[in-house]
Amino acid sequence: MILNRRHLLQSAAAAFLMPRVASAGFAPLNARVAKYPIAPASYPETVVWTYDGSVPGVELRVRQGDRIQRTLINQLPQATSVHWHGIRIENAMDGVPGLTQDAVEAGASFDYSFVVPDAGTYWYHAHNQSIEQVARGLYGPLIVEETVAPDVDQDLVLMLDDWRLDPETAQITDNFDNGHDLSHAGRIGNILTVNGSFDPAFAVRRNERLRLRLVNASNARIFDLDLDGLSGWIVALDGMPLDTPLRLSGSFPLAPAQRADLIVDVVTEGETASLVSVERDGSFGLARFEVGGNAAGAHRQGVSALPPNPLPEIGNFQRARAHQMVLQGGAMRWLESGRLGGTELSGRELAQLGKFWALNGYAERPEDPFLDAAVGSLHRIEFVNETAFPHAMHLHGHHFRLIMDDGSLGPWRDTVLVGRGQTRQIALIADNPGNWLLHCHMLGHAASGMMSWFRVS
Ligand code: C2O
Ligand code: CU
């Protein structure tokens, strides 16, 4: 039989349309291109990359101690992987190409199976070419419910993002390797969204109590958040409950990848309450809470701490092994030199190769780990930010505790914001075996040098 062009087209189409299915016992997680109304209604829909067709991707909501089983089915035009951010996960499931798995090629699939040990607010996102893939929309919420949930009327997940769209077409500007962004604050956008929508509205009643799970999914923007007409507490950071809830007064920062769980009461006398982003030139509404009547009864007084997660005891961290990680480079503090591919290159040479930053002198993930830890050992890491920009340093597979300026132990986190010129210390029990990334979560910084790793064995 002679194959003509028509046959070829048909068989290519057949191959393309062949249904890919999830493995037995696994639900599918389809990474695919879709259109989504990111910009206000007067604009066209934006072509985005999604998990299961929406931005954010499908909400994964499970109980503490459950096993998640998902087959990532890659229908994107690019290799990808999924990282389950903040989950103290088994190393092989951490989703880091080149360290814990191979990238999943276009058309291929990968089975993720893991237990979630801690309750709280987490998220998942692409971890291959993250600077592009997360910016295109590849992220979603991963919510782990407490066995005994706090008493609230509504539990709302609010995923914040910052998009850079062409102002005419509302399509994603695809200059991800723009040297100016990489060497400065990163890819800062021109439209802010909550759950993939510009200025969305949520229906509430006066005196209702809400749990707001805030997630910053943006590439580089550090939000400074405030509430209007809502009053309450921060009860958890990066998924982990605070020992004592922190009464909200004034704005609070949320760096890329960080989460904050709030419990707030609707106290406004007006028609709307809101979540606002505090900017240099005023406040900007991110989401509205439209008040439709009063809830029965007055709002409750006080709040209790969320039940603690089974985290290791830090104990006396003065005895911990001490390490220093120096954050170097970027605009205004240009690297003099740095190591790349086993050789020392000048800052100018590095810049030509798209590398602008370094961690302890390495402008890429080094061959040897920054830290080689025995399982269960205690470490103190001092992040020294010599650059002119803030950085959100994230450790995989572990949470750590901040060491406060007065030497006391602060909250548990998985991502710490280190301000320009600042030094911040953390205490870490390296109790999860495997190879783990340590990087800046400003994704352009990670792509252009701020990437390291540690080993626990
Ligand atoms: Cu959320 Cu290595 O990242
Ligand atoms: Cu950074």
Side-chain angles (χ1 to χ4, degrees):
M1 160 178 141
I2 298 163
L3 279 178
N4 60 27
R5 188 175 146 74
R6 190 183 154 84
H7 277 112
L8 279 172
L9 284 175
Q10 275 174 348
S11 56
F16 189 74
L17 292 175
M18 220 171 39
R20 296 178 190 81
V21 290
S23 309
F26 287 68
L29 183 66
N30 293 291
R32 62 180 177 86
V33 180
K35 279 191 173 173
Y36 206 77
I38 301 290
S42 53
Y43 288 87
E45 291 191 324
T46 305
V47 175
V48 288
W49 292 6
T50 70
Y51 295 111
D52 286 350
S54 63
V55 179
V58 54
E59 177 176 307
L60 305 181
R61 190 178 270 265
V62 296
R63 302 289 294 270
Q64 184 170 14
D66 279 359
R67 179 172 286 278
I68 290 181
Q69 293 196 301
R70 289 271 168 169
T71 301
L72 167 69
I73 299 172
N74 184 5
Q75 301 169 55
L76 301 170
Q78 213 176 68
T80 192
S81 71
V82 183
H83 171 58
W84 314 90
H85 185 117
I87 302 294
R88 296 188 298 138
I89 204 169
E90 187 191 322
N91 192 242
M93 295 291 125
D94 198 41
V96 180
L99 196 66
T100 68
Q101 67 169 98
D102 292 331
V104 182
E105 295 301 328
S109 66
F110 186 89
D111 291 342
Y112 288 100
S113 170
F114 56 93
V115 169
V116 290
D118 304 310
T121 301
Y122 305 92
W123 63 303
Y124 62 99
H125 61 79
H127 215 299
N128 195 44
Q129 271 175 248
S130 316
I131 183 180
E132 169 173 5
Q133 296 193 358
V134 175
R136 289 193 185 279
L138 283 171
Y139 61 80
L142 199 180
I143 305 304
V144 185
E145 293 180 341
E146 294 85 11
T147 316
V148 183
D151 178 22
V152 295
D153 300 304
Q154 296 197 58
D155 179 333
L156 301 172
V157 180
L158 306 178
M159 286 194 94
L160 280 44
D161 198 359
D162 174 27
W163 302 76
R164 190 180 294 175
L165 303 184
D166 180 304
E168 307 270 282
T169 63
Q171 300 310 304
I172 294 170
T173 345
D174 60 356
N175 54 345
F176 304 105
D177 54 3
N178 174 315
H180 182 272
D181 291 344
L182 294 178
S183 61
H184 288 72
R187 182 181 169 94
I188 303 293
N190 53 8
I191 173 168
L192 302 178
T193 60
V194 173
N195 296 348
S197 301
F198 177 77
D199 195 24
F202 299 86
V204 300
R205 286 176 304 159
R206 195 168 290 109
N207 294 330
E208 252 188 347
R209 178 159 276 196
L210 316 174
R211 178 180 189 161
L212 304 181
R213 299 172 182 268
L214 307 174
V215 184
N216 184 353
S218 59
N219 269 43
R221 180 180 292 263
I222 303 166
F223 283 95
D224 188 17
L225 298 171
D226 205 353
L227 300 172
D228 187 18
L230 303 171
S231 143
W233 298 263
I234 298 180
V235 294
L237 290 170
D238 294 354
M240 297 303 171
L242 299 181
D243 298 339
T244 312
L246 188 69
R247 185 93 186 131
L248 281 164
S249 69
S251 64
F252 60 96
L254 198 69
Q258 290 186 327
R259 288 88 65 214
D261 282 52
L262 314 183
I263 291 188
V264 296
D265 297 316
V266 180
V267 295
T268 181
E269 293 300 324
E271 300 296 294
T272 48
S274 44
L275 171 68
V276 303
S277 168
V278 182
E279 322 255 333
R280 230 168 310 182
D281 38 0
S283 287
F284 187 87
L286 292 173
R288 281 167 293 134
F289 301 88
E290 294 189 334
V291 181
N294 293 329
H299 68 269
R300 305 154 191 81
Q301 299 295 312
V303 75
S304 3
L306 298 176
N309 282 320
L311 289 156
E313 274 298 329
I314 296 281
N316 179 6
F317 62 87
Q318 303 298 349
R319 295 194 336 260
R321 260 176 72 196
H323 314 268
Q324 198 175 59
M325 174 161 277
V326 186
L327 286 51
Q328 303 150 318
M332 295 175 278
R333 301 277 195 283
W334 304 103
L335 290 174
E336 255 166 52
S337 67
R339 290 194 76 78
L340 187 76
T343 36
E344 190 78 14
L345 298 180
S346 73
R348 185 175 297 269
E349 290 168 316
L350 289 169
Q352 275 159 6
L353 297 166
K355 302 291 179 192
F356 299 98
W357 308 89
L359 296 175
N360 282 359
Y362 287 90
E364 64 178 346
R365 173 156 56 86
E367 188 96 337
D368 294 323
F370 156 71
L371 163 61
D372 210 335
V375 180
S377 57
L378 178 60
H379 302 267
R380 201 144 56 108
I381 302 174
E382 183 178 54
F383 293 106
V384 181
N385 184 355
E386 292 185 344
T387 79
F389 294 87
H391 302 281
M393 301 304 292
H394 169 49
L395 270 66
H396 281 218
H398 296 74
H399 273 68
F400 49 79
R401 285 189 83 164
L402 299 183
I403 300 175
M404 310 309 279
D405 288 338
D406 64 2
S408 64
L409 282 175
W412 289 95
R413 301 219 73 139
D414 61 42
T415 305
V416 55
L417 183 61
V418 189
R420 59 181 76 92
Q422 207 185 24
T423 292
R424 298 209 79 171
Q425 285 199 61
I426 64 166
L428 166 75
I429 296 213
D431 62 350
N432 195 356
N435 296 333
W436 304 104
L437 279 189
L438 187 180
H439 64 91
C440 178
H441 221 289
M442 275 92 173
L443 298 173
H445 295 172
S448 59
M450 290 200 143
M451 183 71 85
S452 189
W453 66 295
F454 64 110
R455 176 163 47 211
V456 182
S457 53

